[in-house]
Amino acid sequence: MAGLGGLKVLLLWAGIIVMAKSPPPPQCSYNVTPIKFGFLIDMIMNSTTGDYTITLNEEGQAKSIYNFNQSRHVIEHLKPCTEYEHSVLFIDGAGKATPCNGTENETMTSGMSKDDIKDVSCMPGYVCYQSDWNISSSLSASNNVPAEPCKTDNKMFCIKPGFDDICTDLTTTFRSDCTASFDVTKSITVDFLNASEITQIAPTELPAQIDTELPPNCTDLTVDYTCQEDGKPSNTKKLSELEPFTDYSCTGQIKENNVTKKNTNAVKFRIDCDITIIYTKQSATNTDKSIELSWITISQNCPGLPDLEKFSYDCSCLSSSHQSPIVPANKERSGGTCQIAGLKPFTDYTCKVQPKYNDMNVHQPTEVKQRTKAGTPEDIHDLTVIVVDHNVIRVKCVYKGSFNGPKVTLRFIARLHNAGVTKELKNKTCDFDFKDLSYLTEYNLEVTAYNGEHESKPKKKDGVTTSYNDKAVIGLLVFLIILTSVALLLVIYKIYILKRRNSK
C-alpha cells in the first residue's frame, strides 16, 4: 500500500511539471469603430501577435470574411447606416482558431453624404455612379429601373435610362436608414439614345415614307434618311426619289437642331405596287388575224405608277396550237393599248397584258379571252373535172385546208359560166354534177370553199366543153334514112308505072 501511495505522489508531481511547461492560451480582444465607408478594427495592445480573421454578417445576407495580421485593419465598401454582426478569431501556427473578445457584437456603419457619390462613365447609354460605400441597395431611379453593377468596377452602379427618359432629367435617390435621403439629377441627352430601340416602320407605298418613333420628350429631333439600292452603294437617293419593285437599304441621321447626333439602324424594304388592269376594249380587228386590247391601270399603293417612265406592258395571245409574238403596248396616261397581229382567223385565244418595270416582269399578267374574226378559207389545190355525159360535167376536189370560220352545212360552191350565164351549185362536200348543159358548148368553171362569211380564192378550170347530142344525130339519120327510103320507093314506083305505060 505504501508503494502505491508513493506512485500517486510521483504522478501528481509529473503533472504539475508538465502543466508548468505548457504555453498559456492566446489572449486577444478588439474594438470596432465606424469610419467613413466602413469599419476600423483595432486589436487591443495585449493581444497576441499573429493572424486574425474577422467575420461580418449583415442580416439576411451572406457572411463576409477578412484576414489580417496587423494590430489595425480597415474594412471599406460596406453599406452605409447598416448594422453588422462581427466576430474575430486568432489563428495560431497550427491553424487552431481561438475566439477574441469584442466590446460589442454588433456595430452600425456611419451615414453617407452627397459628396460620397461621383458621376462616372462605365457603360455607354447608362447613368453610372461610383462610391467607396457599397451603394448596391441604396439608390433608386425616378424611372424605377433597378441599378446594375458596372462590368469593370464593382464600386460603380449604373441605371439604364428608358426610351421616354431621353431629353428629360433622371433623378436618382440615395437612401440610408440613419440620415435623410438625397437626390442626384442627371440630364439625359440624345447621346443616351440607343438606335436599336427606335421603332422604324418600312414603307409599303409610294411616295416612300419611313415612320420613325422618336423619344416623345424630344421636341427638336428630326430624321433625314438616305437610301441605297442593293448592289449600288454609291448611288444614294432620298425617300422621295425611290422607285417601286427595287430593294433598298435606308439609314436615317438623327438630328437635333440640324446637328447630327446618331444614325438609325438600316431599314431594308421593297415596295411592290399592287396592279389592277381593267379592260375597256377587247375585240378582233377588221382584219382576221389580229386582236386589239385597251385597258386602264389602277394601283392603290402606287397611284402614279402608270405615269412612271420605266413602267411598261407586253401583250401576247395564246391558243391551243399557236403562240403569238410578244409585242410592247402603247402607253397612255391611265393605261395602254396594243394590237396583237399574226394570229389565226376564227381562233379562240387567251390574251394577256404583262406589266413590267425596268424591263422586268413585276406582276402576274391579266388575261382575257377573245376570238379572232372569220377569215378567208384556204385555197383549193386539187380539182378534177370530167364530162361524164355529152352534156354533164362532174367536178370533184380533195380539200385539206382550213375554212377559217364557223361551221356551215354547205361548205363548197361551184359556178359554171357561159355567155354571161352562170350555173351555181352548193354542197357540203366538194362533189358536183352539172347536168342538162348545152351540147358542144365551152364553159368556164370556178370552185370555192365557203365558211358562211367568206369564200376562198376560186380554183378555176377554163375551156370545159360538152359533147354533141348523139341522140339527135341518130334520130336525124333515121329520119334521113326513112325519108331516103320513101323517096327511093317513090322513084321505083314511078319507074314501074312508066314502064307499064310504055309496055301498053
Side-chain angles (χ1 to χ4, degrees):
M1 292 297 292
L4 182 59
L7 179 60
K8 289 181 179 180
V9 172
L10 182 61
L11 291 174
L12 178 62
W13 277 102
I16 291 173
I17 293 172
V18 170
M19 290 181 63
K21 291 182 178 180
S22 299
Q27 300 293 321
C28 63
S29 60
Y30 67 96
N31 286 327
V32 177
T33 305
I35 60 174
K36 193 171 187 179
F37 309 127
F39 291 137
L40 171 63
I41 311 299
D42 269 322
M43 302 306 299
I44 299 176
M45 292 301 294
N46 60 355
S47 296
T48 304
T49 301
D51 295 327
Y52 294 91
T53 296
I54 182 170
T55 300
L56 297 182
N57 182 25
E58 177 190 356
E59 184 178 358
Q61 302 296 322
K63 295 179 179 181
S64 299
I65 299 176
Y66 305 88
N67 298 315
F68 61 99
N69 56 11
Q70 298 174 348
S71 60
R72 308 191 94 191
H73 184 68
V74 174
I75 300 176
E76 294 184 326
H77 200 56
L78 300 180
K79 295 180 180 179
C81 294
T82 302
E83 193 85 32
Y84 286 91
E85 293 181 351
H86 45 76
S87 60
V88 176
L89 295 175
F90 170 75
I91 310 298
D92 63 16
K96 181 180 179 180
T98 302
C100 299
N101 296 322
T103 56
E104 295 179 353
N105 294 329
E106 295 181 356
T107 305
M108 178 178 288
T109 55
S110 62
M112 178 174 57
S113 68
K114 195 170 186 178
D115 294 335
D116 298 336
I117 304 299
K118 295 179 181 179
D119 182 358
V120 294
S121 295
C122 174
M123 297 188 292
Y126 284 75
V127 175
C128 298
Y129 295 103
Q130 181 189 43
S131 177
D132 287 331
W133 286 108
N134 182 347
I135 57 174
S136 59
S137 59
S138 300
L139 72 166
S140 61
S142 57
N143 62 359
N144 295 320
V145 175
E148 55 184 284
C150 176
K151 297 177 181 179
T152 59
D153 190 336
N154 62 357
K155 291 186 177 182
M156 296 182 186
F157 282 85
C158 303
I159 300 168
K160 180 72 171 67
F163 191 74
D164 293 349
D165 294 325
I166 308 299
C167 299
T168 65
D169 291 335
L170 179 67
T171 298
T172 303
T173 300
F174 292 85
R175 296 184 178 88
S176 63
D177 296 334
C178 57
T179 60
S181 300
F182 57 88
D183 294 334
V184 177
T185 300
K186 178 76 172 181
S187 179
I188 308 302
T189 64
V190 180
D191 296 329
F192 285 88
L193 179 60
N194 188 342
S196 62
E197 296 178 352
I198 299 175
T199 300
Q200 301 176 96
I201 302 176
T204 57
E205 60 184 30
L206 291 179
Q209 184 65 45
I210 299 176
D211 292 332
T212 309
E213 182 182 351
L214 296 174
N217 294 309
C218 299
T219 58
D220 298 322
L221 292 187
T222 58
V223 183
D224 186 12
Y225 281 95
T226 301
C227 302
Q228 297 175 340
E229 182 179 346
D230 284 6
K232 299 179 181 179
S234 61
N235 185 15
T236 60
K237 294 184 177 182
K238 298 180 180 179
L239 284 174
S240 59
E241 299 172 330
L242 300 189
E243 301 179 36
F245 309 108
T246 307
D247 294 315
Y248 288 103
S249 176
C250 299
T251 302
Q253 289 184 324
I254 302 175
K255 297 182 178 181
E256 185 176 32
N257 296 321
N258 292 324
V259 177
T260 300
K261 293 294 185 178
K262 283 181 177 291
N263 291 332
T264 68
N265 292 343
V267 182
K268 297 181 181 295
F269 61 90
R270 171 189 174 98
I271 299 175
D272 289 324
C273 302
D274 67 297
I275 299 174
T276 301
I277 291 178
I278 301 174
Y279 288 102
T280 57
K281 178 182 179 182
Q282 65 266 7
S283 63
T285 62
N286 290 331
T287 67
D288 56 4
K289 297 182 180 180
S290 64
I291 290 175
E292 184 178 2
L293 303 175
S294 299
W295 63 88
I296 60 174
T297 302
I298 299 174
S299 178
Q300 297 294 332
N301 63 338
C302 305
L305 178 64
D307 297 331
L308 296 181
E309 181 180 355
K310 295 182 181 179
F311 185 67
S312 62
Y313 313 87
D314 277 345
C315 301
S316 62
C317 292
L318 176 67
S319 73
S320 59
S321 60
H322 179 246
Q323 169 70 58
S324 75
I326 297 175
V327 297
N330 297 317
K331 277 185 61 177
E332 297 180 354
R333 180 171 179 80
S334 58
T337 62
C338 65
Q339 183 168 325
I340 305 102
L343 306 181
K344 292 184 177 181
F346 204 75
T347 302
D348 291 323
Y349 281 93
T350 298
C351 299
K352 62 183 181 181
V353 173
Q354 173 65 65
K356 304 180 73 175
Y357 191 82
N358 201 19
D359 294 327
M360 300 292 291
N361 294 346
V362 293
H363 197 270
Q364 290 297 321
T366 302
E367 298 181 345
V368 63
K369 296 185 181 299
Q370 184 61 46
R371 173 183 289 177
T372 52
K373 288 186 176 181
T376 302
E378 294 181 0
D379 294 346
I380 297 172
H381 295 290
D382 298 323
L383 184 64
T384 303
V385 181
I386 303 174
V387 179
V388 295
D389 204 349
H390 295 274
N391 64 342
V392 177
I393 297 175
R394 178 165 293 169
V395 179
K396 288 187 177 182
C397 66
V398 178
Y399 188 68
K400 297 181 180 179
S402 174
F403 286 93
N404 293 330
K407 291 182 178 181
V408 292
T409 302
L410 302 177
R411 284 187 171 272
F412 297 93
I413 302 174
R415 296 181 178 90
L416 210 57
H417 306 286
N418 173 260
V421 178
T422 300
K423 290 181 177 293
E424 181 180 281
L425 296 178
K426 294 182 179 181
N427 198 6
K428 62 181 179 180
T429 61
C430 190
D431 191 349
F432 304 93
D433 282 342
F434 286 95
K435 300 178 179 180
D436 299 326
L437 301 178
S438 299
Y439 293 96
L440 289 174
T441 303
E442 185 177 287
Y443 290 92
N444 295 326
L445 176 68
E446 292 181 351
V447 181
T448 60
Y450 177 63
N451 61 16
E453 295 185 27
H454 303 285
E455 292 183 45
S456 69
K457 181 181 178 181
K459 181 67 175 177
K460 295 182 178 182
K461 180 73 172 177
D462 295 335
V464 182
T465 304
T466 56
S467 300
Y468 58 88
N469 190 341
D470 59 336
K471 293 181 179 179
V473 171
I474 293 172
L476 179 61
L477 291 175
V478 171
F479 174 75
L480 292 175
I481 292 172
I482 293 174
L483 182 62
T484 302
S485 298
V486 172
L488 182 59
L489 289 174
L490 287 175
V491 171
I492 294 172
Y493 177 73
K494 286 183 178 182
I495 294 172
Y496 171 75
I497 294 299
L498 181 60
K499 285 182 177 182
R500 188 175 179 182
R501 286 181 181 174
N502 291 335
S503 67
K504 288 180 177 184

